[in-house]
Amino acid sequence: MTQASTTPAKPKRPRPQVMKLTDAAAERITELTRRADSEIVGLRVGIKNGGCAGQSYTVEYAHEIRPTDEVVEDKGVKILVDPKAVLFLLGTEMDYKADKMQAQFVFNNPNQVSACGCGESVQLKPATV
């Protein structure tokens, strides 16, 4: 007769939150959600190839949550992260800055290796987990 293993299963390590938001970013997302022409569930954030440094951040309205989206809920708003961007955005803080000349979301990303001089593109490395 054999005995069943009595070794307890290891508890799963909690998944790190991909991104976090500053108060300014959350307020801007709330405002954009309210002013949108159609119903949106949040903003979708990703990265695309291109620009002087090789990559750039993308931000667009999200009308639905896709099964592959990484959903980040912070300060009462939702950010949907493109699954291809998760490793490049781990640990990123999304901020919103406005001055006399421009207003934009700013990404404080520990995985950013460099940026171009014009500020439109970045070079990112995958996060080490």
Side-chain angles (χ1 to χ4, degrees):
M1 189 177 200
T2 60
Q3 280 188 327
S5 174
T6 57
T7 307
K10 284 186 178 180
K12 287 188 176 184
R13 182 174 68 160
R15 289 178 62 173
Q17 184 169 322
V18 176
M19 295 177 63
K20 62 182 178 179
L21 303 172
T22 63
D23 291 337
E27 288 171 19
R28 181 63 177 159
I29 293 167
T30 299
E31 182 183 331
L32 289 171
T33 303
R34 248 188 278 120
R35 289 189 352 197
D37 293 340
S38 59
E39 189 173 329
I40 62 171
V41 294
L43 292 185
R44 181 168 282 109
V45 176
I47 55 171
K48 67 178 181 177
N49 292 332
C52 324
Q55 297 164 307
S56 59
Y57 297 103
T58 61
V59 179
E60 62 188 16
Y61 289 128
H63 298 281
E64 64 183 358
I65 298 174
R66 298 175 187 155
T68 55
D69 284 333
E70 181 76 27
V71 180
V72 175
E73 293 187 59
D74 192 15
K75 296 179 176 55
V77 297
K78 282 186 186 168
I79 297 292
L80 309 174
V81 180
D82 181 326
K84 294 177 289 224
V86 168
L87 274 179
F88 295 98
L89 295 175
L90 264 176
T92 298
E93 177 187 67
M94 185 173 171
D95 195 6
Y96 181 75
K97 299 205 184 266
D99 61 30
K100 290 181 182 179
M101 300 298 285
Q102 64 183 352
Q104 64 185 355
F105 286 107
V106 176
F107 296 87
N108 301 311
N109 187 340
N111 308 304
Q112 184 172 313
V113 177
S114 65
C116 68
C118 66
E120 292 294 318
S121 67
V122 293
Q123 182 180 7
L124 302 171
K125 64 177 177 60
T128 51
V129 284

